[in-house]
């Protein structure tokens, strides 16, 4: 099974750029084109939040018009730049198959891996949040099948990654979430976005991974002073659930670079 993960698309209205400079619609188009040409094709695409720049209806509609060109199913969850109600208005019923208690929480159970979408947003806040209701929903959902290999996908990573977006903006209810996650041994990975950098760490008996943005890369400042981005080529993650039942994660730039060359002397 192959899962492509793209994140933090920050789509603005047609003809504009995120922060006046980042060509995110063009980047998303390049990503979609690249994914459609992959052999073998991903079974599905997960978008891990910050679909829009400002949570506006025209931004969600613009994003949907670009994503609808994907030749495989795609699924979205909200990020802190999105608006839950607006996201549902555009994507509800398809790219968000269902909701639970007003949150964009749902399960995709049609594949070899079980995929659980968890809404980690809190209106008006940049940081993440898992409240009692969402923790209880997750616990109940995980307990329904504690054996099948499972992925959770949510926008905010639930621990400090050494960058402003996690260490200062924070995550309300991280301990509550941890209390649920550590009860289950079948969670292969928690796939996140938000920090605009690819990173991985061990957490509560599983792995937490973050995906790159499609072109707005965070300037890594481990002194937590600079909150800036650079414009890079769009990139995404490809998660391969192998025949040996290992989840292998690859990082891809959409730009193919020079080559390909065989591993023989080219001089
Ligand atoms: Fe973002
Ligand atoms: Fe975010």
């Amino acid at each position: 099974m192959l899962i492509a993960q793209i994140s933090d698309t920050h789509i603005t209205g047609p003809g504009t750029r995120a922060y006046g400079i980042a060509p995110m619609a063009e980047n998303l188009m390049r990503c979609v084109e690249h994914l459609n040409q992959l052999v073998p094709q991903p079974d599905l695409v997960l978008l891990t939040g910050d679909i829009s720049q400002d949570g506006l209806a025209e931004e969600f509609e613009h994003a949907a018009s670009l994503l609808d060109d994907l030749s495989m199913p795609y699924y979205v969850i909200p990020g802190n730049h999105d608006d839950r109600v607006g996201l549902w208005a555009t994507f509800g019923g398809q790219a968000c198959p269902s909701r639970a208690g007003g949150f964009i929480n749902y399960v995709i159970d049609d594949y070899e891996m079980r995929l659980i979408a968890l809404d980690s947003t809190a209106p008006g806040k940049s940081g993440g949040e898992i409240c009692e209701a969402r923790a209880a929903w997750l616990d109940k959902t995980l307990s329904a099948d504690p054996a099948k290999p499972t992925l959770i996908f949510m926008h905010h990573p639930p621990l400090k990654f050494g960058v402003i977006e996690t260490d200062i903006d924070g995550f309300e209810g991280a301990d509550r979430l941890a209390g649920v996650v550590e009860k289950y041994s079948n969670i292969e990975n928690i796939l996140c976005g938000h920090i605009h950098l690819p990173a991985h760490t061990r957490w509560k008996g599983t792995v937490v991974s973050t995906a790159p943005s499609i072109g707005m890369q965070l300037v890594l400042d481990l002194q937590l002073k600079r909150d800036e981005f650079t414009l890079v080529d769009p990139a995404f993650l490809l998660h391969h659930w192998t025949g040996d039942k290992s989840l292998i994660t690859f990082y891809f730039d959409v730009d193919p670079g020079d080559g390909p060359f065989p591993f023989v002397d080219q001089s």
Side-chain angles (χ1 to χ4, degrees), residues 29-205:
M29 262 188 276
R30 290 175 65 195
C31 249
V32 166
E33 203 176 305
H34 188 91
L35 291 171
N36 285 345
Q37 287 171 4
L38 282 181
V39 180
Q41 286 270 281
D43 293 286
L44 62 123
V45 180
L46 299 179
L47 282 105
T48 40
D50 284 356
I51 310 300
S52 69
Q53 173 68 353
D54 288 311
L56 303 175
E58 66 160 348
E59 298 176 342
F60 290 130
E61 290 300 327
H62 191 200
S65 73
L66 302 168
L67 290 165
D68 285 347
D69 285 338
L70 281 167
S71 50
M72 65 290 290
Y74 68 89
Y75 298 94
V76 302
I77 49 168
N80 51 298
H81 279 254
D82 300 318
D83 168 72
R84 225 177 251 153
V85 175
L87 190 78
W88 178 263
T90 299
F91 295 103
Q94 289 196 336
C96 306
S98 58
R99 278 184 292 192
F103 301 107
I104 306 215
N105 295 342
Y106 57 89
V107 183
I108 306 163
D109 218 351
D110 311 323
Y111 300 94
E112 284 172 66
M113 298 193 90
R114 196 159 186 250
L115 307 168
I116 299 178
L118 188 59
D119 182 339
S120 63
T121 62
K125 285 191 196 165
S126 301
E129 180 186 273
I130 292 297
C131 56
E132 286 286 357
R134 279 172 280 185
W137 178 86
L138 180 65
D139 200 0
K140 189 170 166 225
T141 303
L142 285 165
S143 69
D145 195 342
K148 187 172 174 179
T150 295
L151 287 175
I152 295 172
F153 60 112
M154 56 195 268
H155 182 63
H156 297 86
L159 71 157
K160 292 180 176 176
F161 267 71
V163 297
I164 287 176
E165 283 70 15
T166 54
D167 294 32
I168 293 179
D169 293 346
F171 193 112
E172 190 86 25
D175 289 346
R176 189 179 285 133
L177 176 64
V180 175
V181 166
E182 62 195 355
K183 283 168 63 179
Y184 298 92
S185 59
N186 61 325
I187 305 169
E188 292 291 329
N189 204 316
I190 300 178
L191 307 177
C192 305
H194 188 56
I195 69 170
H196 293 222
L197 278 178
H200 310 274
T201 188
R202 176 173 155 173
W203 187 70
K204 307 298 170 191

Side-chain angles (χ1 to χ4, degrees), residues 153-255:
F153 60 112
M154 56 195 268
H155 182 63
H156 297 86
L159 71 157
K160 292 180 176 176
F161 267 71
V163 297
I164 287 176
E165 283 70 15
T166 54
D167 294 32
I168 293 179
D169 293 346
F171 193 112
E172 190 86 25
D175 289 346
R176 189 179 285 133
L177 176 64
V180 175
V181 166
E182 62 195 355
K183 283 168 63 179
Y184 298 92
S185 59
N186 61 325
I187 305 169
E188 292 291 329
N189 204 316
I190 300 178
L191 307 177
C192 305
H194 188 56
I195 69 170
H196 293 222
L197 278 178
H200 310 274
T201 188
R202 176 173 155 173
W203 187 70
K204 307 298 170 191
T206 186
V207 178
V208 175
S209 298
T210 59
S213 159
I214 56 156
M216 277 169 56
Q217 181 160 288
L218 183 73
V219 173
L220 181 62
D221 175 16
L222 299 176
Q223 296 178 308
L224 305 180
K225 290 184 183 139
R226 298 172 67 188
D227 195 18
E228 298 165 317
F229 62 88
T230 52
L231 298 178
V232 297
D233 272 315
F236 64 93
L237 299 181
L238 196 61
H239 307 286
H240 183 201
W241 180 243
T242 67
D244 291 339
K245 301 200 183 310
S246 297
L247 188 72
I248 312 292
T249 296
F250 299 95
Y251 170 97
F252 280 103
D253 271 327
V254 166
D255 184 337

